[in-house]
Amino acid sequence: MHSALADEYRRLCRDAAARQPLAYLRLRRAIRNVVEQRVVEPGQTLPSERDFAQTLKLSRVTVRKALAGLVEEGVLTQRHGAGTFVAERIIKPMSRLTSFTEDLRARGLDPRSEFFERGIGEVTPEESMAMNLSPGVAVARLHRVRYAGNEPLAIERSVVPAELLPDPMLVRDSLYEALETRGFRPRRALQRLRAVPLSARHARLLHVPAGSAGLNVERRAFLDDGRVVEFTTSWYRGDVYDFVAELHSE
Ligand code: 16G
């Protein structure tokens, strides 16, 4: 058993502020913390279910539940017969409306953006259709390369009605953080995914060979009152991202 992991779990059991009555949630948090702190690195194996249960005096059902939750979040991956690992590829669950920054932080990575554009302009006819905006209204536009540390992962072009984000310079690293501060965090979204070969320009920005596989994602996110808060087109690197959806039969 990784001693830092056991220590973190025990710390959470003692720490009154973090006290979480449900052991599986406590364990899930402890594992997420050590992954975020990079005590356990991507690709490294975690202790077995039995090992966790014995060292921490938990039932195997509790351990299984904690691990399953983190697999669903994309923090861990499980391979039959080989155990549980910290995910190497970035696994993005499609059922949760999270931001790039949140996804990366949950994996202990350091999200960064480099902007090509961050300003106010007039909505284009295509955007006004997609966002239900009247022709001519002002929109904030962000065009950026998204990095984990120094590694480029995606290119994103976002459009937000200027009435919701009048000053795009408020967006430092995270669009969702800026929207949240203004009380406009997206609540629901529609997303469309397409496989595309990356253009020469995108491939160069993403440090991959031209024509490499990319995922083109279009997200339209809404507020509770039905207003569209963002229309974002992203090109994710196909070699590092998995988009995973959970399906139910009815
Ligand atoms: C994700 C979203 C994108 C959103 C961005 C906000 C997908 C496919 N796209 O990249 O629509 O604008 O997160 O991230 O998940 P930020 O808050 O870090 O700027």
Side-chain angles (χ1 to χ4, degrees):
M1 160 71 72
H2 212 297
S3 65
L5 227 170
D7 289 349
E8 180 62 12
Y9 177 75
R10 295 192 184 107
R11 188 186 70 75
L12 289 182
C13 293
R14 280 192 312 268
D15 182 357
R19 194 162 292 140
Q20 166 53 259
L22 296 174
Y24 84 95
L25 288 177
R26 219 153 46 207
L27 178 59
R28 185 162 155 175
R29 173 123 169 232
I31 298 173
R32 196 188 300 105
N33 286 353
V34 294
V35 171
E36 276 176 18
Q37 292 151 13
R38 290 251 152 176
V39 176
V40 196
E41 301 265 346
Q44 276 191 332
T45 321
L46 286 190
S48 68
E49 212 174 272
R50 192 156 122 232
D51 199 357
F52 267 120
Q54 275 175 359
T55 315
L56 304 176
K57 303 196 172 38
L58 293 169
S59 77
R60 286 181 68 160
V61 177
T62 301
V63 175
R64 200 168 306 146
K65 227 167 143 184
L67 296 178
L70 290 161
V71 168
E72 201 206 313
E73 274 182 46
V75 174
L76 304 178
T77 45
Q78 277 173 332
R79 255 175 274 145
H80 197 64
T84 310
F85 305 82
V86 178
E88 271 181 297
R89 291 173 61 86
I90 298 178
I91 298 169
K92 187 160 169 54
M94 304 233 327
S95 49
R96 254 182 249 118
L97 186 47
T98 51
S99 71
F100 180 87
T101 302
E102 290 160 345
D103 291 341
L104 261 67
R105 285 198 185 132
R107 284 156 192 77
L109 299 169
D110 175 27
R112 247 175 11 90
S113 299
E114 256 171 40
F115 287 87
F116 298 119
E117 185 184 357
R118 185 170 23 170
I120 296 282
E122 198 177 290
V123 74
T124 65
E126 192 215 356
E127 290 160 0
S128 80
M129 295 271 281
M131 301 175 75
N132 239 337
L133 294 175
S134 318
V137 303
V139 288
R141 269 182 227 288
L142 309 171
H143 187 189
R144 51 197 172 146
V145 184
R146 318 288 325 249
Y147 293 83
N150 291 322
E151 203 180 342
L153 297 182
I155 296 165
E156 281 188 321
R157 230 181 230 288
S158 304
V159 188
V160 177
E163 65 163 356
L164 303 177
L165 184 68
D167 179 8
M169 294 311 276
L170 283 177
V171 182
R172 317 238 40 111
D173 278 319
S174 169
L175 169 62
Y176 279 20
E177 259 169 41
L179 289 171
E180 181 143 22
T181 328
R182 298 185 43 80
F184 298 130
R185 163 112 199 173
R187 297 299 302 265
R188 184 175 78 77
L190 280 176
Q191 210 162 271
R192 184 218 301 249
L193 243 109
R194 281 189 304 167
V196 290
L198 293 169
S199 68
R201 178 164 174 269
H202 281 175
R204 188 166 26 80
L205 291 168
L206 293 173
H207 300 178
V208 293
S212 300
L215 286 160
N216 172 228
V217 189
E218 237 177 55
R219 181 184 281 189
R220 273 195 307 149
F222 302 84
L223 298 175
D224 272 337
D225 63 12
R227 275 183 293 174
V228 176
V229 54
E230 72 161 328
F231 177 46
T232 294
T233 311
S234 317
W235 291 264
Y236 281 78
R237 267 172 57 188
D239 60 329
V240 284
Y241 262 91
D242 287 2
F243 283 76
V244 176
E246 190 183 75
L247 308 176
H248 296 271
S249 67
E250 50 191 88

